[in-house]
């Protein structure tokens, strides 16, 4: 039976004050954080540097450039065009001959309506050389996760998490493979659709957390070794690195509800604007970004970039880009990709479209699976509920 709109409307009206109270509290906290942000940005460089030098523990973020050289902590892009054609001319000036590459993934999770459990994982990628001399490339790779892959018998590991981890590793492996074969790294940009700091894995068991960290370290290592620019793009970020920095720097924000970095910055930014570069100095999983030879815990930097009408996106990058002095060039490549994509990087958007598994793909997968099992004299057991759905759809 369909939901009843009248019931939803009545409940929302009855609980209207809940939303009003939340909004007022958020705005009050935001005002205090923004006051503290302005005070931080107006602090003379020598004084701020001396304060930073005295901070021995993690403080969320450490600026790698002067904040006093900005306008309210923001670098203005001043990119304005009269029409779409002019903006695309700017795109062509910056992306001509620059190869962009992105990977994304999709999956069909194991269903309780099918025994034994089986999953399908697919990744897709998009390479665009931005030149008339070569065509773009789209392709996919898929893998079927069997009961053995899903580690049946270990009930402590949710199947969905195992599938997500496998997809993550496939995406990272493809990015690393691509970076290793890039012939012209100075004219290439690789996008990772997500954060390079795997804070989401903080709550996982040691083994799972380690696997996520090792995968991301392999990506950072490849980018640094082969000098291929890498950007981890987070469209909707809930990170608190800058607000954590403010909590350490200003007593006024020590005991109020947190706001996100993106909320803090949004009011100051116009399209194309970005923050200075900060080193991510976060507690938790970042401390595990170490190998026998190298410590990557201080090698991830970030900036916030205004890409559309919503809050700014977060860009995470390996620190070598800053040391090489190519951040501005890379940010312009990202801006150009966003113009083509209408507010989201075109390379990531196209990789997502390439990788995504539709409802029809799910039906095709199950049909192939059933046919193969029958041919091999293997028994698959479908629930009555699943069979009923398949008949009705």
């Amino acid at each position: 039976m369909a939901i009843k709109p009248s019931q939803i409307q009545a409940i929302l009206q009855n609980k209207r004050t809940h939303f009003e109270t939340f909004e007022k509290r958020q705005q009050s906290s935001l005002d205090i954080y923004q006051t503290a942000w302005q005070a931080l940005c107006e602090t003379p460089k020598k004084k701020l540097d001396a304060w930073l030098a005295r901070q021995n523990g993690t403080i969320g973020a450490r600026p790698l450039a002067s904040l006093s050289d900005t306008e309210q902590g923001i670098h203005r892009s001043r990119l304005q065009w009269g029409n779409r054609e002019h903006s695309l001319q700017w795109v062509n000036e910056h992306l001509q001959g620059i190869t962009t590459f992105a990977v994304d993934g999709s999956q069909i999770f194991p269903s309780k309506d099918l025994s034994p459990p089986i999953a399908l994982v697919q990744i897709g990628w998009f390479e665009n050389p931005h030149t008339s001399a070569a065509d773009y490339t789209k392709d996919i790779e898929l893998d079927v996760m069997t009961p053995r892959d899903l580690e049946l018998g270990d009930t402590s590991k949710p199947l969905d998490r195992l599938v997500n981890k496998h997809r993550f590793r496939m995406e990272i492996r493809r990015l690393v493979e691509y970076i290793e074969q890039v012939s012209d790294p100075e004219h290439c940009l690789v996008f990772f659709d997500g954060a390079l700091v795997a804070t989401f894995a903080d709550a996982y068991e040691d083994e799972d957390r380690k696997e996520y960290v090792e995968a991301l370290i392999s990506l950072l290592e490849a980018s640094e070794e082969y000098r291929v620019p890498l950007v981890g793009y987070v469209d909707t970020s809930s990170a608190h690195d800058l607000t954590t920095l403010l909590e350490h720097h200003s007593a006024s924000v020590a005991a109020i509800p947190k706001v996100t970095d993106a909320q803090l910055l949004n009011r100051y930014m116009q399209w194309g604007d970005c923050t200075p570069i900060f080193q991510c100095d976060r507690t938790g999983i970042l401390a595990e970004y170490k190998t026998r030879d190298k410590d990557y815990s201080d090698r991830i930097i970030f900036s916030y970039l205004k890409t559309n009408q919503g809050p700014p996106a977060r860009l995470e990058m390996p620190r070598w880009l800053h040391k090489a002095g190519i951040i501005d060039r890379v940010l312009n490549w990202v801006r150009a990709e966003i113009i083509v994509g209408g507010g989201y990087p075109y390379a990531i958007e196209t990789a997502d479209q390439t990788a995504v598994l539709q409802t029809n793909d799910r039906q095709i997968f199950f049909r192939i699976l059933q046919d193969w099992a029958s041919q091999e004299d293997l028994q698959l057991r479908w629930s009555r509920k699943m069979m009923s759905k398949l008949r009705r759809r």
Side-chain angles (χ1 to χ4, degrees), residues 51-311:
W51 178 83
L52 289 167
R54 295 194 300 270
Q55 309 308 305
N56 296 321
T58 55
I59 57 172
R62 292 178 181 268
L64 298 183
S66 173
L67 299 180
S68 57
D69 295 336
T70 66
E71 294 182 25
Q72 298 179 307
I74 304 298
H75 288 310
R76 303 295 176 197
S77 70
R78 310 196 191 284
L79 293 174
Q80 300 288 332
W81 299 279
N83 53 51
R84 175 75 170 169
E85 182 181 352
H86 290 164
S87 69
L88 291 177
Q89 289 175 357
W90 185 89
V91 168
N92 188 61
E93 291 171 8
H94 287 83
L95 278 187
Q96 180 66 32
I98 305 301
T99 299
T100 55
F101 182 80
V103 177
D104 204 356
S106 185
Q107 66 283 310
I108 296 174
F109 289 112
S111 171
K112 64 181 180 180
D113 295 311
L114 172 61
S115 180
I118 298 170
L120 178 68
V121 178
Q122 176 170 285
I123 62 169
W125 56 86
F126 178 63
E127 179 190 32
N128 190 348
H130 293 102
T131 174
S132 58
D135 292 330
Y136 65 79
T137 301
K138 292 182 187 179
D139 209 345
I140 61 169
E141 176 188 347
L142 57 80
D143 193 16
V144 175
M145 297 186 70
T146 67
R148 180 177 177 179
D149 298 323
L150 294 169
E151 302 181 31
L152 294 187
D154 186 351
T155 57
S156 67
K157 296 182 178 181
L159 296 185
D160 286 7
R161 185 183 296 178
L162 288 168
V163 175
N164 285 330
K165 185 172 64 174
H166 189 63
R167 166 185 160 176
F168 186 87
R169 288 199 303 250
M170 286 179 67
E171 291 177 15
I172 295 289
R173 185 176 66 246
R174 182 66 187 99
L175 288 168
V176 170
E177 288 172 352
Y178 180 80
I179 288 172
E180 291 174 345
Q181 58 84 50
V182 169
S183 59
D184 187 7
E186 291 187 2
H187 298 89
C188 182
L189 174 61
V190 170
F191 283 100
F192 173 63
D193 186 16
L196 297 176
V197 183
T199 301
F200 64 88
D202 253 330
Y204 294 171
E205 294 80 6
D206 291 347
E207 181 183 347
D208 286 342
R209 191 168 65 247
K210 181 180 179 182
E211 290 186 56
Y212 277 108
V213 169
E214 287 177 345
L216 286 167
I217 287 178
S218 72
L219 183 57
L220 292 167
E221 280 185 316
S223 173
E224 184 172 327
E225 179 180 353
Y226 293 92
R227 312 306 277 181
V228 176
L230 168 70
V231 170
Y233 190 90
V234 186
D235 182 60
T236 305
S237 172
S238 57
H240 298 89
D241 296 330
L242 296 182
T243 54
T244 299
L245 170 62
L246 296 179
E247 290 163 13
H248 283 83
H249 187 258
S250 173
S252 64
V253 295
I256 62 173
K258 274 185 176 291
V259 298
T260 67
D261 294 350
Q263 289 172 318
L264 166 72
L265 298 166
N266 192 42
R267 66 170 289 188
Y268 303 116
M269 305 180 80
Q270 301 294 322
W271 189 95
D273 292 349
C274 66
T275 65
I277 297 298
F278 291 83
Q279 174 198 321
C280 188
D281 191 33
R282 190 183 299 176
T283 59
I285 202 167
L286 194 56
E288 301 176 30
Y289 276 56
K290 298 177 182 179
T291 67
R292 290 182 178 179
D293 304 320
K294 293 182 180 179
D295 183 351
Y296 285 88
S297 63
D298 62 351
R299 297 196 189 190
I300 298 177
I301 60 176
F302 69 90
S303 175
Y304 285 88
L305 176 68
K306 183 72 169 176
T307 61
N308 50 52
Q309 293 181 340

